[in-house]
Amino acid sequence: MISRLSAVAVVVSGFVGVAAYADDDWNGLYAGIHPGNGSLAHLSIVPAGAGTYEFLVSTERLSLCGGGPGWAAGTLAPSGRALEVQEETVSCADSPEATTPPGFRLTFTADDDILLIEPLTGDSASFHFHRISDD
């Protein structure tokens, strides 16, 4: 009887381990609310090969676009337990030019479904993105 219970425990723990996200499982769609202006932002991260990722951030109020709607796209690469921007292009819906982006770093919080986004330079606010899909 004890060996049956042990076998069941091993099988159940295996399923629980598979369901948890690994630290390097960045892929997914995330959403966050900017604490400074209250705008909703979406972040998509997909693998680009060779350990890098492509990202797209869109928001209704992007400070780099004078507070109007815009998006940023580019590549991310691992840096320790974080991802950092390698290349980034900002596009604004209401104007042809955008301010040069400061770059950013992404790290998981204690929960692997919540990312902290922090600027690499400048005084932009840090805030959290919550994973809404891992597809």
Side-chain angles (χ1 to χ4, degrees):
M1 180 67 174
I2 291 177
S3 64
R4 284 187 199 166
L5 289 176
S6 297
V8 169
V10 168
V11 169
V12 170
S13 66
F15 286 122
V16 170
V18 170
Y21 289 110
D23 285 346
D24 63 352
D25 188 9
W26 302 94
N27 306 334
L29 180 62
Y30 300 82
I33 297 175
H34 193 282
N37 62 27
S39 64
L40 176 63
H42 288 94
L43 166 65
S44 171
I45 301 174
V46 296
T52 63
Y53 298 85
E54 292 180 352
F55 74 91
L56 176 66
V57 176
S58 64
T59 184
E60 55 200 16
R61 289 187 211 130
L62 186 60
S63 61
L64 299 172
C65 291
W71 58 94
T75 57
L76 300 162
S79 175
R81 294 180 52 91
L83 287 182
E84 288 189 2
V85 168
Q86 300 300 296
E87 296 177 19
E88 181 177 14
T89 302
V90 174
S91 300
C92 302
D94 297 334
S95 66
E97 291 188 32
T99 305
T100 303
F104 60 86
R105 172 186 304 109
L106 296 171
T107 54
F108 278 115
T109 64
D111 181 342
D112 286 348
D113 283 339
I114 300 174
L115 288 175
L116 175 64
I117 183 169
E118 302 172 282
L120 293 176
T121 61
D123 58 357
S124 299
S126 298
F127 65 101
H128 293 91
F129 277 103
H130 299 260
R131 188 188 309 255
I132 56 177
S133 174
D134 59 3
D135 292 337

